[in-house]
Amino acid sequence: MATAPSGIRKFFDMIIGRDDIVSLGVGEPDFATPWLMREEAFYHLEQGHTSYTSNWGLLELREQIAKYLERYNLYYSPKNEILVTIGVSEAVDAILRTILNPGDEIIVCEPCYVSYQPLAALCDVTLIHLDTSKNGFYPEAEQIEKAITPRTKAIMLCSPSNPTGRMIPASELAKIADVVKRHQIWCLSDEVYCELVYDGRKHVSIGSFPGMKDYAVILNGFSKAFAMTGWRIGYVACNAELMEQVFKLHQYSTICAPIMSQYAAAEGLRNGWNEVEKMRLSYQQRRNFMYKAFCDMGLPAAEPEGAFYIFPDIRPTGLTSEEFATELIRKHQVAVVPGSVFGAGGEGFIRCCYATDIAKIKIALSRMQLLLNELCPKAGGTV
Amino acid sequence: MDNTEEILDLLRENARLSVDDIAAMTRKTPDEVRSAIKQLEDNGVIMKYAAIVNPEKDGEAKDKVRAEIEIQVTPEREHGFDAVADRIWRFPQVKSLYLMSGGYDLKVIIEGDTLKEVAFFVARKLSTLEGVRSTKTHFILKTYKENDIVYVEADKDHRQGVTA
C-alpha cells in the first residue's frame, strides 16, 4: 500500500538551510524543556539508570499520570490502564492497529493532524472524512451520527485542535458521548494540547462523561505543555480489557519509552506546573496578537481557544492554500502550512504556528501584508 | 493573573515593547495600557527603565573590578543596622547593599577601576566606619547570571522542520 508523503514535509524541504525564512510552520514549542526536568534526566543518567523500563513504563510515572488525569475526572488504574508510549504518535498508531480490521470504517474529524489518516489507511480501512469547517472547526454530534454506518468502528477527535486551535464545547462533547455509546464505537481522543487553553477555559475530556470508560481512549503526552517534543514521551489510557491488546503491540514494536524521558516527565508532573503556566500565558499573549493581526488584515480566522495554531481563511485572495503558501515563501520568505494537507475542510486556509518570538511573528505578519498588497492592490491590501 | 501584573511582566521581560503590542497581547485598548503603565510609574512600582549591559562586551565596563564585601557590624541601639547601611549605600562605588542573616550582617557589592582602588575603598572608607567590626573582601571573577539575566551562552532555538 502506498502512503502519501506528508504535505508539511514538502514545505519544510523548501526551507531547510535557509535562514532568511521566518517560519510559522513548525508545530512545536519555542521553549526548551524546563530545566528541572532536564536536570532530573541528568541525575538519572549519572545514577546509571539507562536500562529498559517495564513495558508499561515506570510505575512512578504511571502513578503521576493517573493522579494528573483525575483533574479531568478521568479514572484509570496506573497498573493496567495507563501505558507510556513514544510520544502520542506511537499511541495513535498502536490504538488504530489494535481496534481496526480491514474493511472497517473510521470517522476522522477534519481538518486534523496529518498522521491520523495515513496511519488509519495502513490498517486497510475506509476513512470517513468529517468536514468541520462549516461549523467553526469542531464536529457536531448530529453530523457524526449521520456518518455512522454498521461498519463504523471508531471516531478520532482532537480538542484543542491541531491545526485550528478550536475546542469542542463541553455541551457538544456530552452529545457526542451519547452518540458514541448509542452506536457502541470507540472514541479516540487526542488531548495533547489540553493544558494549552486560553481565556480561563478548562479542557473537558470526552472520557469523563458517564459510561464512557467503555468507549473512550485517551491519548496524551508531554511534548506540548512541557515542551518535551524531542524526548518522545506520551501515553494511552483506556479500560483494562482493551489495554491488554494495545499493550501487546507496544511491547513488540517499541518495548518501552526511553527511561530518561520517563524520569523527566514524572518530574514535570510533580514539580513543573509553574513552568507550564508561564509558557501557557506566553502562548496566550501571542495568540491574542496573532488573532488581532489577522482580523486587521482582513483574513478572518475562527478564534483559537487552545493549542498554538491559528487557521486563517485566505480565500479572499482567490488563491488555493498551496498557491498562497508557495507565493509567501517564494516572494516573502515566510513559511506557513497550506490547510489542504490537513484533510477535508482545510483547503482555503493556512496554518500558522505562533510558538515563535513576537519579533519574528511581527516580521512574518508584515511580509504577509506585503503579499496581500500585491494580490489585491486596489483594496489597499485589505482583502 | 492580575491585568496590571501581566503588563508588568511583559515590561520586565522587554521594557521597549510598544503600547500597541502590549495592548494586542493582553486584549486591552492602547489607552488602557497607557494609563496602567502611567499608574505603575506614578506609584513607584516601575522605578525606571534602563538598558542591561553585558560588561564583557562593553569596552569601558570590561576592565572594571567588582568585589563582594561581607561586613560585620555592631548594631546601634536606636537604629539597628540602618544607620551604618545608610552611610554605605551613598557611596557611588557601592552597587548593591543587603542586610543578611548568618555569619555577617551587610553584603556590599563594590565596583572600581582597579583592584587597588577597590582595596583602598574598603580599607579607607568601609572598615573605618563606626560600628564596622570586620570586613571580608571577595573579588568577583565572572558573572553567569544576575537578576534573572543570563550572561553566558543560553538556550537557542534549535527547532528543525518536522511534520508536527
Side-chain angles (χ1 to χ4, degrees):
Chain A
M1 184 184 321
T3 302
S6 158
I8 301 189
R9 184 73 259 162
K10 191 174 119 190
F11 267 81
F12 285 126
D13 287 344
M14 293 168 73
I15 69 174
I16 283 175
R18 300 218 7 216
D19 41 19
D20 57 328
I21 287 175
V22 179
S23 177
L24 303 179
V26 205
E28 66 178 315
D30 61 335
F31 297 99
T33 310
W35 181 252
L36 82 164
M37 298 161 75
R38 289 189 265 163
E39 203 271 339
E40 182 77 4
F42 296 157
Y43 169 76
H44 287 283
L45 288 174
E46 268 167 9
Q47 295 296 305
H49 297 160
T50 56
S51 60
Y52 295 128
T53 67
S54 146
N55 294 118
W56 291 97
L58 294 167
L59 183 61
E60 67 168 274
L61 173 59
R62 284 179 281 138
E63 283 169 349
Q64 288 292 335
I65 293 170
K67 210 168 108 195
Y68 161 74
L69 290 175
E70 287 178 11
R71 293 184 183 189
Y72 296 106
N73 301 312
L74 297 169
Y75 301 94
Y76 290 94
S77 161
K79 204 174 120 260
N80 59 357
E81 295 183 322
I82 293 170
L83 174 69
V84 178
T85 56
I86 300 189
V88 182
S89 301
E90 187 214 336
V92 171
D93 183 42
I95 191 66
L96 289 174
R97 287 198 282 152
T98 302
I99 61 173
L100 297 177
N101 293 315
D104 285 346
E105 287 178 6
I106 178 169
I107 300 170
V108 182
C109 303
E110 298 179 359
C112 68
Y113 175 50
V114 295
S115 288
Y116 305 156
Q117 301 117 320
L119 288 177
L122 284 171
C123 300
D124 204 7
V125 296
T126 306
L127 283 161
I128 307 299
H129 306 272
L130 202 76
D131 178 353
T132 64
S133 62
K134 307 279 181 302
N135 188 46
F137 293 110
Y138 67 82
E140 279 186 310
E142 204 180 319
Q143 189 189 11
I144 292 171
E145 190 151 32
K146 276 191 200 137
I148 292 177
T149 75
R151 295 197 303 155
T152 306
K153 195 54 130 346
I155 173 163
M156 182 86 212
L157 304 175
C158 177
S159 172
S161 149
N162 174 4
T164 67
R166 299 287 283 174
M167 290 169 76
I168 306 172
S171 56
E172 201 60 45
L173 281 172
K175 289 185 206 158
I176 295 173
D178 286 339
V179 169
V180 163
K181 283 182 280 186
R182 193 153 54 241
H183 294 274
Q184 306 197 343
I185 59 175
W186 293 110
C187 180
L188 316 181
S189 180
D190 181 348
E191 304 184 5
V192 74
Y193 292 98
C194 74
E195 293 305 320
L196 306 181
V197 298
Y198 308 126
D199 310 321
R201 287 185 179 80
K202 192 163 189 303
H203 169 72
V204 175
S205 172
I206 190 150
S208 66
F209 292 95
M212 278 302 282
K213 194 157 175 188
D214 291 339
Y215 302 101
V217 176
I218 311 301
L219 307 160
N220 207 331
F222 297 85
S223 293
K224 315 295 178 174
F226 290 93
M228 289 186 80
T229 49
W231 302 72
R232 310 310 306 125
I233 182 118
Y235 54 91
V236 194
C238 65
N239 67 57
E241 198 186 340
L242 176 64
M243 185 59 93
E244 226 176 283
Q245 308 306 318
V246 183
F247 176 78
K248 286 190 226 161
L249 277 170
H250 165 76
Q251 173 183 18
Y252 293 127
S253 66
T254 68
I255 303 181
C256 66
I259 185 169
M260 56 285 230
S261 304
Q262 295 193 47
Y263 278 118
E267 176 61 9
L269 287 176
R270 277 191 301 263
N271 295 316
W273 293 101
N274 285 344
E275 303 287 329
V276 171
E277 173 56 16
K278 270 192 232 162
M279 295 190 273
R280 189 200 66 81
L281 183 66
S282 162
Y283 296 134
Q284 176 174 295
Q285 289 164 345
R286 292 180 272 179
R287 188 277 316 249
N288 293 346
F289 190 90
M290 198 85 152
Y291 178 66
K292 179 175 184 297
F294 278 112
C295 293
D296 291 350
M297 256 192 256
L299 298 180
E303 186 180 357
E305 299 155 314
F308 37 53
Y309 309 105
I310 187 165
F311 206 58
D313 185 348
I314 52 95
R315 287 172 298 187
T317 64
L319 300 183
T320 66
S321 60
E322 184 153 350
E323 285 165 352
F324 185 90
T326 309
E327 287 287 280
L328 190 58
I329 202 165
R330 210 168 51 80
K331 292 192 180 150
H332 298 289
Q333 296 78 48
V334 175
V336 298
V337 183
S340 54
V341 310
F342 301 104
E347 180 48 48
F349 298 82
I350 52 169
R351 187 191 79 173
C352 302
C353 172
Y354 48 81
T356 267
D357 76 54
I358 205 89
K360 280 194 191 144
I361 288 177
K362 285 173 85 166
I363 296 171
L365 290 167
S366 67
R367 291 183 185 175
M368 220 179 283
Q369 182 69 60
L370 289 179
L371 178 65
L372 294 181
N373 294 351
E374 290 160 19
L375 293 170
C376 319
K378 276 181 211 143
T382 303
V383 287
Chain B
M1 175 183 289
D2 178 294
N3 282 334
T4 339
E5 282 298 325
E6 189 175 359
I7 295 177
L8 203 51
D9 277 346
L10 284 168
L11 289 173
R12 267 198 191 103
E13 189 57 36
N14 178 5
R16 298 186 75 180
L17 266 184
S18 72
V19 165
D20 285 344
D21 287 355
I22 295 173
M25 290 165 85
T26 59
R27 297 215 154 158
K28 288 187 216 321
T29 66
D31 279 342
E32 285 169 334
V33 172
R34 217 170 278 124
S35 82
I37 293 176
K38 171 130 195 340
Q39 205 171 3
L40 288 166
E41 290 167 351
D42 291 349
N43 295 344
V45 179
I46 293 176
M47 296 171 70
K48 70 188 234 172
Y49 302 91
I52 292 155
V53 177
N54 186 340
E56 293 297 318
K57 298 196 172 167
D58 170 34
E60 284 267 310
K62 209 163 85 183
D63 301 324
K64 297 244 186 214
V65 178
R66 295 212 304 162
E68 183 221 67
I69 295 126
E70 299 172 1
I71 306 180
Q72 285 187 318
V73 177
T74 309
E76 285 175 35
R77 187 175 179 111
E78 293 281 310
H79 307 288
F81 296 99
D82 292 348
V84 63
D86 200 57
R87 293 192 58 180
I88 293 174
W89 70 254
R90 289 170 194 277
F91 287 109
Q93 293 91 331
V94 172
K95 298 302 167 191
S96 308
L97 175 60
Y98 311 91
L99 177 63
M100 309 295 290
S101 69
Y104 62 100
D105 304 306
L106 294 173
K107 172 162 131 173
V108 190
I109 308 286
I110 305 281
E111 193 175 274
D113 285 334
T114 62
L115 212 118
K116 209 167 163 186
E117 188 188 309
V118 171
F120 249 74
F121 179 78
V122 175
R124 294 258 174 92
K125 302 291 184 189
L126 291 186
S127 52
T128 55
L129 281 173
E130 195 174 330
V132 169
R133 282 188 283 130
S134 75
T135 64
K136 209 183 259 180
T137 303
H138 309 270
F139 284 97
I140 293 170
L141 303 179
K142 183 172 177 180
T143 306
Y144 295 93
K145 184 178 182 181
E146 196 171 76
N147 297 326
D148 226 17
I149 308 287
V150 178
Y151 287 80
V152 288
E153 189 89 343
D155 298 333
K156 279 205 184 111
D157 190 345
H158 295 293
R159 295 178 296 171
Q160 302 170 347
V162 285
T163 57

